Amino acid sequence: PSSMPSEVPSSEPSSEPSSEPSVSLEPSSMPSEFPSSEPSSEPSEEPSSEPSESPSSEPSSMPSEEPSSEPSSMPSCSPSAFPTESPSTQYGVNLFYPIWEQSFNGCRNDGLEPDYMAVNPTEWLSSTLDACCKKYFNGFLYDACMGRYPPDADDCITKLFYPDWNGSNEGCVDDGKEPYYMLSNADYFLSNSIEECCEKFYQWNYFSCTGTTPELTNGEYYPDWTGSSTATCLNDNKMPTYMLNNQAWYLSTTLEKCCEKHFHWGLKECLGTADVGTNEWYVSYGDNTCVQDCNGASPCGGIADSWEELFNSKAKCCEEKLPWVPRCRFN
């Protein structure tokens, strides 16, 4: 070929191609009819305008920035890592019912039980997968029944909770042994979660019912009414459940606030600033005897008031204050 190309191409191609192809700096305006057998060494900077007909065998390493416009055909049984901003609508509970079909033998809780089962729930329906499988597929079919869960379209709850009024009556259980009247009115008595059940039937004992520990929003000091006669506030994180359920009333942020609120009559004792007695004696007319100026068991009678006359012995006190009570010194 000539060292320089002609400015105008010939009207007809040459009968033989040149031994070396020409090197153009720009791609051709029209793509070739057949793709090359090997991919290019570098990917294109922009994706193609149309997707490929067949998906790749492996997912991409990075998720897409926007979700797909349509959900997948099968939901997952595990919740997403982050909760949604708005709660889902509660449509009640679904009980388990038996299915005997060629394609499926087992129990489902998709809410599609036949009418004859729906109108007779105590006979046909169960609150747990285990109870349904034991009732209708016991024996060698039991494991297969339990292993089939969850089939298509079922929700992922295998047990429902009910208030344990016939047991300890301290919380909710999910053993599938609820009374018939609860099974007949499942939307009211049965719950999808223990939190829902405890909130509905054991709000007064919610944290014990759910087995959770609440955040202390009103402080850690609480009044100790465990049988002791002393006025005491503690902050050992062992407050009773009923106090946790009403923190605004029972808990305080400081020892002073707790003592003022619950032991105003023994404030000094509660704060640990109680006066120390003299161990001398003063009269107690209500008991017809003399008692000692100190705190504790008898003969202490508590700290004497400022107006009490004190004596250095019980005998002297009895002689001066209760001469008409001969047994004063021996009481």
Side-chain angles (χ1 to χ4, degrees):
S2 59
S3 59
M4 293 291 290
S6 58
E7 295 180 358
V8 180
S10 59
S11 59
E12 295 182 2
S14 59
S15 58
E16 294 183 5
S18 59
S19 58
E20 295 182 5
S22 60
V23 179
S24 60
L25 298 177
E26 297 182 359
S28 59
S29 59
M30 295 291 290
S32 58
E33 295 181 359
F34 298 97
S36 59
S37 59
E38 296 182 3
S40 58
S41 59
E42 295 184 4
S44 58
E45 296 181 356
E46 297 184 2
S48 58
S49 58
E50 296 183 3
S52 58
E53 295 181 357
S54 301
S56 59
S57 57
E58 297 183 4
S60 58
S61 59
M62 295 290 290
S64 58
E65 295 182 357
E66 297 183 2
S68 58
S69 58
E70 295 183 3
S72 58
S73 57
M74 290 289 290
S76 61
C77 283
S78 299
S80 58
F82 296 98
T84 57
E85 295 182 358
S86 301
S88 58
T89 303
Q90 175 61 264
Y91 292 102
V93 298
N94 290 329
L95 298 173
F96 286 90
Y97 66 97
I99 295 179
W100 297 279
E101 295 178 354
Q102 185 175 359
S103 59
F104 182 87
N105 281 302
C107 294
R108 284 184 172 174
N109 66 333
D110 53 11
L112 301 177
E113 62 271 7
D115 290 341
Y116 72 90
M117 293 185 182
V119 298
N120 194 3
T122 58
E123 177 63 28
W124 293 103
L125 306 184
S126 304
S127 65
T128 68
L129 174 65
D130 178 72
C132 180
C133 290
K134 282 182 177 178
K135 186 173 184 178
Y136 297 104
F137 299 96
N138 204 8
F140 69 93
L141 294 177
Y142 172 78
D143 290 338
C145 177
M146 293 293 292
R148 285 182 178 274
Y149 192 84
D152 297 349
D154 287 22
D155 62 40
C156 298
I157 296 172
T158 60
K159 296 180 179 181
L160 299 176
F161 293 85
Y162 67 94
D164 188 25
W165 291 332
N166 293 333
S168 64
N169 197 25
E170 294 181 353
C172 297
V173 294
D174 60 350
D175 56 8
K177 298 179 181 179
E178 64 284 333
Y180 283 161
Y181 72 87
M182 292 187 181
L183 202 60
S184 298
N185 192 2
D187 281 340
Y188 179 75
F189 290 108
L190 303 186
S191 303
N192 290 318
S193 68
I194 191 170
E195 292 80 9
E196 180 185 331
C197 180
C198 293
E199 176 69 24
K200 190 172 187 177
F201 299 106
Y202 292 98
Q203 192 173 23
W204 55 271
N205 195 34
Y206 179 81
F207 297 108
S208 177
C209 178
T210 58
T212 58
T213 301
E215 180 182 358
L216 300 181
T217 57
N218 287 78
E220 299 178 353
Y221 287 90
Y222 67 96
D224 180 27
W225 293 316
T226 56
S228 174
S229 60
T230 59
T232 307
C233 283
L234 302 176
N235 66 336
D236 56 7
N237 203 31
K238 296 180 180 180
M239 62 285 292
T241 301
Y242 71 86
M243 293 187 182
L244 293 174
N245 291 331
N246 190 1
Q247 296 186 38
W249 170 250
Y250 291 108
L251 303 189
S252 303
T253 55
T254 65
L255 176 64
E256 291 77 9
K257 289 182 178 179
C258 179
C259 291
E260 289 172 358
K261 189 172 188 177
H262 301 288
F263 299 108
H264 59 87
W265 45 267
L267 186 59
K268 289 185 178 180
E269 180 182 0
C270 182
L271 292 173
T273 59
D275 296 331
V276 178
T278 63
N279 288 327
E280 293 187 309
W281 298 82
Y282 65 95
V283 65
S284 173
Y285 290 110
D287 298 321
N288 276 333
T289 189
C290 286
V291 295
Q292 205 166 6
D293 179 22
C294 58
N295 285 317
S298 179
C300 291
I303 303 302
D305 292 318
S306 58
W307 60 81
E308 299 282 3
E309 184 179 0
L310 300 178
F311 300 89
N312 58 13
S313 68
K314 184 174 184 178
K316 185 65 174 177
C317 175
C318 290
E319 180 182 345
E320 293 288 334
K321 294 295 182 179
L322 296 171
W324 61 87
V325 182
R327 296 187 61 80
C328 170
R329 66 180 63 187
F330 304 109
N331 289 345

